[in-house]
Amino acid sequence: MQLVCPAGNLPALRTAIDAGADAVYLGFRDQTNARAFPGLNFDDNEIRQGIAYAHARGRQVYLALNTYPDSARLAHWHRAVDQAAELGVDAIIAAEMGVLDYACRTHPKLARHLSVQGSATTAPALRYAFERFGIARAVLPRVLSVQQVERLCQNAPIPLEVFAFGSLCIMVEGRCQLSSYVTGASPNRHGVCSPARFVRWDEHDGGERSVRLNDVLIDRFQPEEPAAYPTVCKGRYGVGGEIFHALEEPTSLNTLELLPRLAQAGVAALKIEGRQRGAAYVDAVTRTWRAAIDRHRVAPEAWTAQPAWQNTLSAHAEGHQTTLGPYHRAWH
Ligand code: SF4
């Protein structure tokens, strides 16, 4: 299985490659990708340097063009596809049909991966994207159980990539309206959930902190309580007389214990989430998964998830907690 790691900037890209990533994924410094945070992403020159660094070591670079343009701005996404082809990335990762169609017609030799944001959860949906847009790979949404992933591996016409580790985006990928409902800025169109300019932290007497997104209270933290970046889905709300994480716990997906099962199923690539995270995260998480994948390749029968690997991953998880998320939910 290929290990695909996040690169929010050039130092993170080099770190990921040095730590053993088979491929990195990155984005332009604009709203064409779903991590349009200030200070992140790449200009053309940095992408050229990143590609040179990766290719010199036999690794690949994928470019995320995975937001949904509105028709007035479609030309900007088309230019981004042209630019990706000119720069020589190994593949683009796209979700919107107009973007995929343009790429397929205009740059047929530029490999296309269907983004997680494309929300393809069935074999017919994957077959349609393959036949219509010639996708070379699809990234599955993080809403599927492991049994569903296994079935898709048997029936999909193209190799599949799944998320292995990182923050969870719990809604049907590419369809969440929570952040845009609260802020008016859509993650799917503008590339960032809970934009930092809408986030306000207040400290109160006794050290309690509260966090608001565009003046909507989404959580309160006790003085020593760890607090992750605030998103609406992971806030605590009053429901039925109780205050709790009504939608999702602040926790990270960690599928390490499923690695043998995903390998057996024929998953082609494991993706690490976190272009918004620093080089220390990229280094530790990439090295851990590299070691786990390599150990499994050499001795699959003897493979177990080492406690040291799990400890490292937990230390870099959101809220220091991990979950198998939908991979193991019985209600599927
Ligand atoms: S609010 Fe949560 S589920 Fe919705 S886009 Fe943001 S992280 Fe994803």
Side-chain angles (χ1 to χ4, degrees):
M1 286 184 294
Q2 193 189 41
L3 180 60
V4 182
C5 294
N9 53 36
L10 198 50
L13 181 149
R14 292 192 182 112
T15 299
I17 298 289
D18 293 348
D22 297 303
V24 293
Y25 63 102
L26 46 77
F28 285 131
R29 208 166 275 156
D30 60 20
Q31 296 180 349
T32 57
N33 75 93
R35 289 289 183 274
F37 291 102
L40 278 193
N41 296 321
F42 291 67
D43 62 23
D44 288 359
N45 185 37
E46 289 165 332
I47 292 183
R48 281 197 187 91
Q49 290 182 56
I51 292 172
Y53 194 84
H55 285 181
R57 290 154 182 82
R59 323 297 172 79
Q60 294 192 315
V61 175
Y62 305 148
L63 183 83
L65 292 174
N66 57 349
T67 43
Y68 284 73
D70 54 52
S71 53
R73 298 191 299 160
L74 195 52
H76 184 74
W77 272 250
H78 289 173
R79 279 197 298 277
V81 174
D82 297 339
Q83 196 64 8
E86 192 191 317
L87 288 165
V89 298
D90 297 287
I92 60 165
I93 310 169
E96 205 265 342
M97 285 195 277
V99 175
L100 285 164
D101 184 62
Y102 177 83
C104 177
R105 290 173 191 275
T106 316
H107 302 286
K109 291 191 176 145
L110 175 62
R112 297 164 292 285
H113 295 180
L114 184 66
S115 166
V116 64
Q117 295 286 92
S119 290
T121 56
T122 64
L126 292 166
R127 196 172 312 117
Y128 177 78
F130 170 63
E131 289 173 356
R132 181 65 190 77
F133 307 119
I135 59 168
R137 179 187 296 186
V139 187
L140 294 182
R142 289 161 288 185
V143 295
L144 299 173
S145 68
V146 68
Q147 292 88 351
Q148 288 172 317
V149 171
E150 287 168 339
R151 276 201 297 277
L152 280 176
C153 284
Q154 286 169 8
N155 299 317
I158 32 105
L160 299 177
E161 179 173 315
V162 300
F163 274 84
F165 184 83
S167 291
L168 271 173
C169 184
I170 52 156
M171 299 301 172
V172 179
E173 311 273 5
R175 307 279 189 270
C176 181
Q177 302 295 324
L178 290 173
S179 180
S180 41
Y181 176 70
V182 171
T183 67
S186 161
N188 300 308
R189 291 198 183 281
H190 301 97
V192 60
C193 175
S194 298
R197 68 183 186 279
F198 293 108
V199 174
R200 197 183 88 216
W201 290 91
D202 291 309
E203 191 152 337
H204 307 281
D205 291 345
E208 186 193 76
R209 292 152 296 150
S210 59
V211 62
R212 290 169 196 273
L213 192 64
N214 205 18
D215 287 336
V216 175
L217 178 65
I218 60 174
D219 215 336
R220 284 200 184 100
F221 298 92
Q222 294 307 306
E224 301 304 324
E225 198 178 358
Y229 190 81
T231 56
V232 181
C233 64
K234 290 165 192 160
R236 277 179 280 205
Y237 305 100
V239 181
E242 272 185 80
I243 295 176
F244 63 106
H245 292 107
L247 297 167
E248 180 62 287
E249 301 272 337
T251 176
S252 286
L253 177 72
N254 178 13
T255 65
L256 188 65
E257 69 185 76
L258 293 180
L259 191 150
R261 204 161 159 184
L262 296 172
Q264 175 74 23
V267 165
L270 297 177
K271 179 169 229 154
I272 308 298
E273 184 276 347
R275 284 191 287 133
Q276 73 285 14
R277 305 289 297 266
Y281 166 95
V282 171
D283 184 57
V285 175
T286 304
R287 282 185 196 284
T288 301
W289 280 90
R290 178 79 273 152
I293 293 169
D294 289 350
R295 183 88 59 96
H296 182 266
R297 189 165 40 220
V298 172
E301 309 299 323
W303 192 93
T304 55
Q306 302 289 307
W309 296 339
Q310 295 288 27
N311 290 342
T312 301
L313 295 177
S314 293
H316 290 86
E318 207 174 323
H320 300 295
Q321 298 181 72
T322 60
T323 176
L324 282 171
Y327 279 101
H328 74 145
R329 282 196 184 129
W331 46 259
H332 275 278

